[in-house]
Amino acid sequence: MKDDRTNAGARPLLEVNGLTMRFGGLTAINNLSFSVQPGTIHGLIGPNGAGKTTTFNVVSGYYTPTEGRVLYKGQDISGLTMPQVAARGLVRTFQHSTLFQEFSLLQNVMVGRYMHQRPTLLGAILGTGAKAARENEAKARETLAFFGLQLRAHELAAELSHGHQRALGMAVALAAEPDMLLLDEPFTGMNPEETRQMMDLMFKVRDRGVTILLVEHDMQAIMGLCDRITVMNFGQLLVEGAPKDIRNDPKVIEAYLGGARHVA
Amino acid sequence: MLKIIAWILLAAALVVLPFVLSYSQQEVLVFLTINVLVVSSYRLLTLTGEWSLAHVVIMGVGAYASALLTKSAGFPVPLAMLSGAAVAGVFALILSFPLFRMKGFYFLIGSFAAGEIMRLIWIKFRDPFGGPKGIKLIPGFDTIEIGGLKIDFFEPVNYYFLALIVVAVSLWIIWRVERSPVGLIFHAVHWQDKLAESVGGQGAPLPHAGLCHRLLLCRFVGRAAGALHRNRQSQPLQCRRDGLCSDLGDRRGYGHVLRPDPGRDRVDDPQRRCLARTGDGSGPAADLRPDPDCIGPVPAKGP
Ligand SMILES: Nc1ncnc2c1ncn2[C@@H]1O[C@H](COP(=O)(O)OP(=O)(O)OP(=O)(O)O)[C@@H](O)[C@H]1O
Ligand SMILES: [Mg+2]
């Protein structure tokens, strides 16, 4: 079933070509190329500091790449701003729980609805956007319910446990109705049971037609979820393949052990 | 229910308030009312987490514009007030193009610089801005007639009610905006701009909303400022024994501008603090009203 999804013949949804990102003298990404097929969950893994988050930052428009191109739906999106990239249907989450802490859960998700609501000042004053606002609120509540957070809609985001905050971060992104989600370590702070539930939700999201690019250190989650995995090390592509190949690849094991020694 | 009662009580208090105050207190009340608007309009801006030091200067743009439009272009005062607000809005819109590229401390400094430039222009260009003393001899607000009801805006009480209505409407609009999705996005950009951007906030629409918001904001403030300027005219002129009156300039410490007391012909006692247009000049000083005729060309020499 899984292998059917990695239909190599189809046009990739996301293509990263010869991407290089330098910060002064530090090369965070070095000539990286990989592609993500539509309708798949694609893993991007590597030891700490490999450049995964930086890759996300470049793809999502937070940074402009030093060299190389990012193609999304066949179009060059390198150099676009984050809102412009989001408007094309590519939405990312952040590695550290990035939420509107002072907002209620519902308000957080409502911000995710922004692109679909396009509120105007005049509409706000005249109250003409009321119907759209109600529809968007309904959508936002639906998204909360999808993550099992509907009963806490009016609590403040700051009051959630870390795991729930990660879920809310995904809810905000999903509320924007993206075609592709970039998730940066969504399972940190979750206990094994929460991780398992979240994995089920990921499959559901994918089955809705959303393509997922996933950065995660939890190897069980990665191996269980991904159709295909790209491994990075020191900003470069190490190997790419199906989970079972990656698991046993000596280069990957070496990189992780080496990386572990670095970190320790 | 309790809320409604509270609102009604507040409204009643605001309506009764000017009638228990003296003339000069009423004038202070008008300024207070206008300043409520200036301060609360600042809130809409700070929702986005930015502090602008050009806020009050933009208010000044509205005031200067409406004053010049009445004095030099002969606009009727109500129209000039609205136009002044519009001019302030357009100014803010133009300024927002460079300023909205900055954030935080840089925005603060940028807005300060922009405000300072405008302030210096007013001070350095005597023509048409009147230099440090500001514009003088601005035509006053005409008495308006609505269905036989004459409203004289030299009367601070009437002016207070006008200001109160403008303030109430403006506050209501600010409240609406803040509670709307637009307000939510302003808040969102404040707390987590990157997250807001990641879901499309602050794409083309947001600066646009930001600009409109600026425009709107300044419109209120401009309106208030217009009101402020107009209101200056209702300051009673201070007249001296020799029958010369000084205008507002003297209150602000800019020295005296003396001109003949036009009420002198009518008010026998030149020692009076003067200037009752309709009254006979026998009432207590607090009841005296400024004479609009006083605001006319200043003769080269006093009598
Ligand atoms: N803005 C920046 N300026 C300078 N160096 C940066 C910047 N962002 C990232 N780096 C560097 O780039 C390298 C890659 O960092 P990145 O955050 O992409 O790693 P990562 O693979 O996400 O690691 P982790 O698993 O710890 O999240 C690191 O050495 C980091 O210090
Ligand atoms: Mg990272």
Side-chain angles (χ1 to χ4, degrees), chain B:
Chain B
M1 191 58 205
L2 214 66
K3 244 184 175 173
I4 298 172
I5 293 171
W7 278 111
I8 292 171
L9 283 180
L10 178 66
L14 288 176
V15 168
V16 172
L17 187 61
F19 298 104
V20 298
L21 298 178
S22 72
Y23 187 91
S24 55
Q25 285 170 332
Q26 287 172 351
E27 290 183 324
V28 173
L29 183 64
V30 172
F31 275 92
L32 265 177
T33 313
I34 292 170
N35 279 317
V36 164
L37 185 57
V38 178
V39 172
S40 51
S41 66
Y42 208 56
R43 178 177 170 84
L44 211 51
L45 176 72
T46 52
L47 275 190
T48 60
E50 301 294 353
W51 285 86
S52 165
L53 293 177
H55 188 76
V56 179
V57 180
I58 292 290
M59 168 181 164
V61 170
Y64 271 104
S66 67
L68 283 176
L69 284 173
T70 31
K71 196 183 165 191
S72 309
F75 275 41
V77 174
L79 182 65
M81 281 165 84
L82 289 174
S83 312
V87 170
V90 170
F91 250 84
L93 185 72
I94 294 168
L95 271 184
S96 67
F97 285 105
L99 286 183
F100 277 6
R101 302 178 75 89
M102 308 175 201
K103 249 187 213 169
F105 185 67
Y106 303 98
F107 179 80
L108 194 76
I109 293 296
S111 66
F112 174 73
E116 196 58 12
I117 289 168
M118 285 195 284
R119 196 183 65 83
L120 287 175
I121 287 176
W122 293 332
I123 289 178
K124 299 292 174 197
F125 288 84
R126 279 175 184 281
D127 187 26
F129 301 115
K133 288 182 183 173
I135 301 173
K136 291 210 182 65
L137 312 178
I138 308 160
F141 204 151
D142 301 329
T143 302
I144 58 166
E145 243 188 294
I146 312 165
L149 183 70
K150 271 195 184 168
I151 305 175
D152 175 7
F153 283 104
F154 276 110
E155 202 53 80
V157 177
N158 291 340
Y159 208 90
Y160 164 74
F161 283 118
L162 176 71
L164 197 63
I165 291 168
V166 173
V167 168
V169 170
S170 303
L171 286 182
W172 179 77
I173 292 178
I174 291 174
W175 179 78
R176 291 278 294 193
V177 170
E178 188 176 339
R179 299 250 319 205
S180 75
V182 180
L184 187 69
I185 284 291
F186 284 165
H187 270 295
V189 169
H190 178 185
W191 294 113
Q192 285 287 350
D193 54 344
K194 287 296 157 240
L195 179 55
E197 286 178 20
S198 77
V199 289
Q202 206 177 45
L206 192 66
H208 177 69
L211 299 186
C212 295
H213 138 238
R214 226 5 136 57
L215 196 73
L216 185 88
L217 189 83
C218 300
R219 185 161 306 157
F220 303 148
V221 176
R223 198 183 290 175
L228 192 80
H229 241 284
R230 298 276 72 71
N231 191 58
R232 281 189 177 176
Q233 292 308 318
S234 70
Q235 299 294 325
L237 296 172
Q238 303 288 322
C239 296
R240 309 189 315 192
R241 271 167 204 275
D242 60 7
L244 287 180
C245 303
S246 69
D247 70 1
L248 190 68
D250 125 57
R251 286 193 173 192
R252 302 168 77 208
Y254 291 139
H256 298 257
V257 178
L258 297 179
R259 53 176 112 92
D261 175 359
R264 205 175 183 193
D265 303 337
R266 281 169 274 162
V267 183
D268 292 338
D269 183 0
Q271 285 183 29
R272 286 204 174 283
R273 284 183 65 232
C274 96
L275 305 187
R277 176 156 61 148
T278 50
D280 56 21
S282 60
D287 287 330
L288 293 179
R289 297 198 278 113
D291 189 339
D293 299 337
C294 201
I295 302 149
V298 184
K301 242 178 109 202

Side-chain angles (χ1 to χ4, degrees), chain A residues 23 26 28 46-55 63 95 184-185 217:
Chain A
F23 299 104
L26 186 138
N48 293 108
K52 306 175 299 286
T53 299
T54 307
T55 304
Y63 296 140
Q95 176 168 1
D184 200 348
E185 304 195 17
H217 282 296

